[in-house]
Amino acid sequence: MANKPSRYQEDIFSFGRRKTTEHGRVNAVAGSGKSTTLFWFIKELNPKNAVLISFGKAIATENGQKITRMGLDPQKVKSKTVHSIGYSMLAQNMDKKPNMDAEKYRILVREYVKTLNLDRGLELEARSDLYNLVNLIRVSHTDPNNEEDVIELMRHHDISPGEYTKGAGPIIEHGIQIAEKTGIIDYTDMIYLPWVFDFKTYQSQWVLVDEAQDISEAQRWIAKQCILSYGGRSLWVGDENQAIFGFAGADADSFARIKADLNT
């Protein structure tokens, strides 16, 4: 961590100290110290109730250790991933305990495609495209029953429409029913099902989001649920020119959508 914040970082800290309910976005270029800015922000404000949201368990664990080394209470300033928050929402609200099965939707897709009696080559292609489409629909909160929106999603991700792609909606609905009856979920369900069921989560005075340019609609929804309903604030830090997880359903217009959602 740098010894002294820059004047740009000081402006961000001043924003945090203001007695307001405003939310903020920081568009920082690569190498400008995005994560350092967040830790300086935490140090300067010393919030009583905050969550730092990062991508990946390893990064969240490392950030939690940094928070402890800064002398802050890790129970007051928590370090989490969006998926860990989503899993907690499911664990707290579902009748059945969430049970992770990474192959859940691969199995559902394979079973569906098998009913189409395609030749071997096309069957493998169909399984791959349909599995990707099922994931993209969930992370983007696209209505699987809205044909126009699904076709636009496929066009954007270079998935060719076919008879088999019509199975995305039924497969997702089946997956939701399985989760309700048995608790079986996959990785994407962790951030999709809380939205489907409109589950609530523990809210914080400050929600700090790192690498916000890579966040998907489903992840953004989870993060927003963490903001205290009355007086809660958030700071989203990233570089809108670096969307490295676009292939995984990250929203290329993430920063613009944050502005529209939260009036930052």
Side-chain angles (χ1 to χ4, degrees), residues 10 12 37 46-47 53 70 92 115 119-120 143 150-152 158 172 176 189 227 247 257 259 261-262:
E10 289 286 3
I12 297 169
T37 298
N46 192 15
I53 298 177
M70 290 167 62
Q92 292 164 7
T115 67
D119 65 60
R120 181 61 176 169
D143 181 355
V150 172
I151 289 176
E152 174 59 24
D158 295 323
I172 291 172
I176 293 172
D189 276 340
I227 304 170
F247 63 88
R257 294 187 186 276
K259 179 178 178 63
D261 287 350
L262 299 169

Side-chain angles (χ1 to χ4, degrees), residues 192-207:
Y192 177 64
L193 293 179
W195 175 72
V196 170
F197 299 131
D198 195 25
F199 287 157
K200 307 302 179 186
T201 188
Y202 179 80
Q203 295 184 321
S204 298
Q205 174 194 4
W206 271 104
V207 174

Side-chain angles (χ1 to χ4, degrees), residues 38 57 145 159 174 209 264:
L38 280 172
K57 183 177 179 180
N145 298 311
I159 298 175
H174 190 188
V209 183
T264 60

Side-chain angles (χ1 to χ4, degrees), residues 105-120 122-128 130-131 163-165 167 171:
Y105 277 94
R106 290 191 185 278
I107 293 171
L108 294 179
V109 166
R110 185 167 64 244
E111 290 175 347
Y112 176 83
V113 171
K114 192 173 182 179
T115 67
L116 302 179
N117 296 317
L118 304 174
D119 65 60
R120 181 61 176 169
L122 184 55
E123 179 182 337
L124 294 176
E125 178 183 343
R127 280 161 50 177
S128 175
L130 187 52
Y131 178 75
E163 188 65 26
Y164 54 85
T165 56
I171 288 170

